[in-house]
Amino acid sequence: MDYIHGLPGVEPGNYDGLYEGLKKHVENRTQLTAPRRMIHILVNLHDLEMILRGDGEDILVRATDGTWRTGAELMEELLAGVGLATIVNARNEPMKQYRLKRYFTQAQRDMIAAVQHTCMDPDCKIPFSMCQADHLKAWAKGGETNLDNILMLCEYHNMKKRDGDVYYKGSDGRIYKRREFGPDIPCN
């Protein structure tokens, strides 16, 4: 409903201007952005066991935004990466929290193609289409899955990164490869 209330002429409890507000929005005569929502899903261990066994159709889980989901809907959302999942015990005490969006989307890959045309390693010219999207700051170390943290590397350099090669973003916004000796090298 926050989205609707952001339309011109729409007030809470009075939706007389809804049609005109939507019309202005569709015609690009108004600036309107959907509110950012982070849904936090709480699952107790007993329900999680049932969901993982496939008995989750009848389980209802309440999210922090007040909505309810079945076990099946929950699993779809977890796989879609909509927010955070927290496992809680029978006393509703948090046990473990998971970030849900690990892999870059096709849209993110398409956008980064505008600036990263080849493998980002300075000594490599493998084309973008043959590269893998990797996290500049590793996912396991808290790196986010967003455009500011994407690094396109060919398979070879991606494996070298896992073996210890270090890439980082400098204060100038460029990506660099750290060298053992000598100055660090700006990437492609």
Side-chain angles (χ1 to χ4, degrees), residues 5 13 97 129 137 141 157 183 186:
H5 292 143
Q97 185 178 76
S129 61
K137 178 181 178 184
K141 295 182 179 177
H157 286 109

Side-chain angles (χ1 to χ4, degrees), residues 119-125 157 167 175-177 185-188:
C119 172
M120 290 301 289
D121 189 90
D123 299 319
C124 187
K125 299 297 178 205
H157 286 109
Y167 298 86
I175 297 173
Y176 291 86
K177 181 177 183 182
I185 307 170
C187 293
N188 297 332

Side-chain angles (χ1 to χ4, degrees), residues 94-106:
M95 304 288 291
K96 177 76 176 164
Q97 185 178 76
Y98 300 94
R99 291 177 297 151
L100 302 174
K101 188 180 169 205
R102 184 182 193 298
Y103 298 102
F104 292 98
T105 65
Q106 187 58 50

Side-chain angles (χ1 to χ4, degrees), residues 32-70:
L32 181 66
T33 57
R36 183 187 180 281
R37 290 179 38 173
M38 172 58 74
I39 299 172
H40 199 122
I41 299 169
L42 304 177
V43 182
N44 68 45
L45 293 174
H46 171 72
D47 288 346
L48 178 63
E49 287 177 37
M50 291 180 70
I51 291 169
L52 294 176
R53 281 196 316 262
D55 299 335
E57 284 295 329
D58 59 338
I59 292 173
L60 289 177
V61 178
R62 186 171 187 192
T64 55
D65 66 351
T67 59
W68 290 87
R69 291 153 174 79
T70 65

Side-chain angles (χ1 to χ4, degrees), residues 2-172:
D2 291 337
Y3 184 79
I4 291 174
H5 292 143
L7 292 168
V10 177
E11 300 292 328
N14 181 5
Y15 300 104
D16 295 336
L18 182 60
Y19 174 75
E20 287 301 317
L22 284 170
K23 190 172 156 186
K24 286 179 183 176
H25 177 62
V26 169
E27 294 171 351
N28 287 323
R29 292 190 289 149
T30 182
Q31 293 292 328
L32 181 66
T33 57
R36 183 187 180 281
R37 290 179 38 173
M38 172 58 74
I39 299 172
H40 199 122
I41 299 169
L42 304 177
V43 182
N44 68 45
L45 293 174
H46 171 72
D47 288 346
L48 178 63
E49 287 177 37
M50 291 180 70
I51 291 169
L52 294 176
R53 281 196 316 262
D55 299 335
E57 284 295 329
D58 59 338
I59 292 173
L60 289 177
V61 178
R62 186 171 187 192
T64 55
D65 66 351
T67 59
W68 290 87
R69 291 153 174 79
T70 65
E73 291 169 333
L74 171 64
M75 294 313 288
E76 287 175 19
E77 285 193 43
L78 292 178
L79 294 173
V82 297
L84 301 172
T86 299
I87 307 300
V88 296
N89 65 17
R91 293 186 305 260
N92 255 6
E93 297 167 333
M95 304 288 291
K96 177 76 176 164
Q97 185 178 76
Y98 300 94
R99 291 177 297 151
L100 302 174
K101 188 180 169 205
R102 184 182 193 298
Y103 298 102
F104 292 98
T105 65
Q106 187 58 50
Q108 288 170 318
R109 292 169 196 254
D110 292 344
M111 286 187 274
I112 206 66
V115 292
Q116 295 185 18
H117 310 285
T118 63
C119 172
M120 290 301 289
D121 189 90
D123 299 319
C124 187
K125 299 297 178 205
I126 298 288
F128 178 89
S129 61
M130 297 176 67
C131 290
Q132 302 170 346
D134 196 8
H135 292 82
L136 191 57
K137 178 181 178 184
W139 167 262
K141 295 182 179 177
E144 296 294 325
T145 304
N146 58 34
L147 290 175
D148 198 45
N149 195 39
I150 194 170
L151 177 68
M152 299 303 291
L153 294 171
C154 68
E155 184 176 5
Y156 173 77
H157 286 109
N158 199 2
M159 295 307 282
K160 293 283 288 174
K161 182 176 178 271
R162 292 178 191 156
D163 289 341
D165 281 3
V166 176
Y167 298 86
Y168 67 93
K169 190 170 281 193
S171 59
D172 60 357

